[in-house]
Amino acid sequence: MEHYIVSARKYRPSTFASVVGQKALAATLKNSIATDRLAHAYLFCGSRGVGKTSCARIFAKTINCENRTPDGEACNQCPSCKSFNDNRSFNIIELDAASHNGVQDIKTLIEQVMVPPTDGKYRVFIIDEVHMLTSQAFNAFLKTLEEPPAYAIFILATTEKHKIISTILSRCQIYDFSRITIKDMVEHMAYVAKSEGINVEPAALGVIARHADGAMRDALSIFDQIAASSRGNITYNSTIENLNVLDNSYFDKLADAFANSDIPGALAIYNDIRAKGFDALFFINGLASYIRDLMLARDPRTVEMLETTDEFRQAMAVRAQAFQPDFYYKAMSILNDADLNYRTASNKQFLTELTIIKLCQLLCPTTPAMTSGGN
């Protein structure tokens, strides 16, 4: 039986061209190798799952490649590349500072720095989550980072650049990794699905990408989870059920109720949402995000700020025209107040229903009181 490998590992980038969502940064790194303008220390910054460690490994492999391609990529055929791909290269050393953050860990690393490469030109030392090093460990590392051997290159990776001391920052070339866009994540997951023979609905990939919040690794983990539970047939419905995501159609119906000042209808929709097991705060925050997205979709100058697929963006732009800007500003304020008051409210259902009523009254403050049978 073939050993199963999770998608995040199986489809991990092996060349700069295959790095998802970081084209400009990858091109800069590739050009620095091609022109032989290598710094002795780099700091890769960005949120989790955006490719920091992958780029560090690709960089380490490429600078030691014996026969780089015309476009500056590692050949993956020479002995150096093969040893790297087989995880048996002595020219790359990784330290996880989250669990090895003391002075002794750094002293052990410094001892390794003193050993020159047996083959290849450089040894690359990758320190992941470098902000986790203790102050003493940082101080022990400074001298080596400032005056390393000519063959040593350090790549420090962190999700929290603000925690890095200034003396470390001043010794590094700093690269800030972007959050990966919804479009790039959807395209990459579609490629993975095709490669794995998995049927998938495009709308489902959009939900996964939004849920991953800019992290490709998280998106692929979610993708695997849903593929397993749906037996290789990823649908929109199976995705929202698996992730416990509130279907956007509920928010669309609520928007219609707000436009028509339909208080009974809006409350009935919320009752259906409660019946599905979604708590009130989850609903309030979800509705707030939806209203914010509608506001952005209403104006061509801000519609591109929506991190979603082009199809979904166009649909939101059409729906957004039902309201004037003033409605959005007031609605966002009401929902923000509901969020702030939620924790201290003794009757959270009452708070949520009152919030819905206020939203329904924005376009018609004199909405008649509800009467039995709608009379």
Side-chain angles (χ1 to χ4, degrees):
M1 176 183 264
E2 185 179 352
H3 179 63
Y4 173 72
I5 303 175
V6 297
S7 297
R9 286 184 56 201
K10 186 174 182 179
Y11 293 94
R12 187 168 196 163
S14 59
T15 62
F16 286 117
S18 62
V19 175
V20 179
Q22 310 292 346
K23 285 185 171 55
L25 188 149
T28 301
L29 290 174
K30 188 165 64 171
N31 290 338
S32 70
I33 297 172
T35 57
D36 201 26
R37 298 174 64 88
L38 301 179
H40 67 272
Y42 297 85
L43 179 64
F44 289 177
C45 314
S47 56
R48 72 183 190 281
V50 296
K52 300 185 299 297
T53 308
S54 292
C55 276
R57 290 173 176 168
I58 294 168
F59 186 88
K61 177 171 66 172
T62 307
I63 61 176
N64 279 316
C65 178
E66 300 167 12
N67 186 29
R68 290 196 289 270
T69 64
D71 61 349
E73 298 280 10
C75 69
N76 286 314
Q77 299 298 323
C78 68
S80 176
C81 285
K82 287 182 177 179
S83 66
F84 181 92
N85 292 338
D86 294 339
N87 293 317
R88 53 184 176 82
S89 174
F90 293 105
N91 288 334
I92 178 170
I93 294 88
E94 296 188 48
L95 176 71
D96 179 13
S99 54
H100 300 86
N101 58 2
V103 173
Q104 189 56 50
D105 296 304
I106 290 299
K107 286 183 177 179
T108 301
L109 181 71
I110 292 172
E111 290 174 3
Q112 292 179 299
V113 173
M114 296 301 109
V115 180
T118 54
D119 56 7
K121 191 175 179 181
Y122 299 100
R123 296 190 81 200
V124 180
F125 299 83
I126 300 173
I127 304 180
D128 202 10
E129 300 299 341
V130 68
H131 64 274
M132 299 289 284
L133 291 178
T134 64
S135 298
Q136 294 81 358
F138 269 129
N139 290 330
F141 187 41
L142 280 175
K143 185 66 174 176
T144 302
L145 188 64
E146 186 172 18
E147 298 177 1
Y151 55 78
I153 292 178
F154 297 96
I155 302 179
L156 317 180
T158 181
T159 54
E160 302 186 51
K161 183 171 67 173
H162 62 280
K163 292 185 178 180
I164 308 297
I165 60 177
S166 59
T167 46
I168 294 288
L169 293 175
S170 65
R171 289 164 168 79
C172 300
Q173 281 192 10
I174 301 174
Y175 288 81
D176 290 300
F177 283 64
S178 306
R179 292 174 71 255
I180 301 175
T181 65
I182 300 292
K183 180 180 179 182
D184 285 338
M185 282 195 279
V186 167
E187 288 178 354
H188 188 61
M189 285 188 288
Y191 164 75
V192 172
K194 183 177 180 181
S195 302
E196 295 294 315
I198 296 173
N199 296 319
V200 61
E201 293 179 0
L205 295 182
V207 172
I208 295 172
R210 288 192 293 275
H211 200 76
D213 193 27
M216 191 71 248
R217 184 176 61 237
D218 290 3
L220 289 175
S221 296
I222 296 169
F223 175 89
D224 284 348
Q225 172 187 333
I226 298 172
S229 65
S230 60
R231 297 180 179 272
N233 183 32
I234 301 177
T235 65
Y236 176 79
N237 288 333
S238 67
T239 301
I240 62 173
E241 181 179 346
N242 193 288
L243 296 179
N244 198 32
V245 173
L246 190 55
D247 188 350
N248 231 49
S249 64
Y250 284 104
F251 294 133
D252 290 340
K253 293 174 185 176
L254 278 170
D256 292 339
F258 299 156
N260 295 316
S261 301
D262 183 6
I263 294 175
L267 293 176
I269 294 167
Y270 172 60
N271 188 60
D272 289 343
I273 292 170
R274 284 188 68 238
K276 288 186 174 293
F278 294 100
D279 68 42
L281 185 59
F282 182 91
F283 165 75
I284 289 170
N285 290 330
L287 181 57
S289 295
Y290 176 83
I291 294 295
R292 176 259 185 193
D293 288 349
L294 273 183
M295 179 194 69
L296 294 178
R298 191 181 188 281
D299 195 303
R301 294 170 295 179
T302 54
V303 67
E304 293 302 321
M305 292 171 61
L306 288 181
E307 293 189 4
T308 185
T309 60
D310 290 339
E311 182 181 3
F312 185 81
R313 191 181 290 117
Q314 291 168 5
M316 290 288 280
V318 172
R319 180 170 289 278
Q321 302 307 314
F323 305 99
Q324 294 300 313
D326 191 56
F327 168 85
Y328 294 113
Y329 309 149
K330 291 178 180 178
M332 291 169 71
S333 179
I334 290 171
L335 288 163
N336 185 60
D337 288 343
D339 179 54
L340 294 174
N341 295 329
Y342 186 86
R343 288 137 186 99
T344 57
S346 58
N347 189 332
K348 301 185 189 306
Q349 181 180 348
F350 179 81
L351 170 70
T352 306
E353 291 175 344
L354 180 60
T355 299
I356 292 171
I357 292 170
K358 288 179 179 179
L359 292 171
C360 285
Q361 290 184 317
L362 282 178
L363 297 183
C364 187
T366 57
T367 301
M370 292 183 292
T371 57
S372 177
N375 295 322

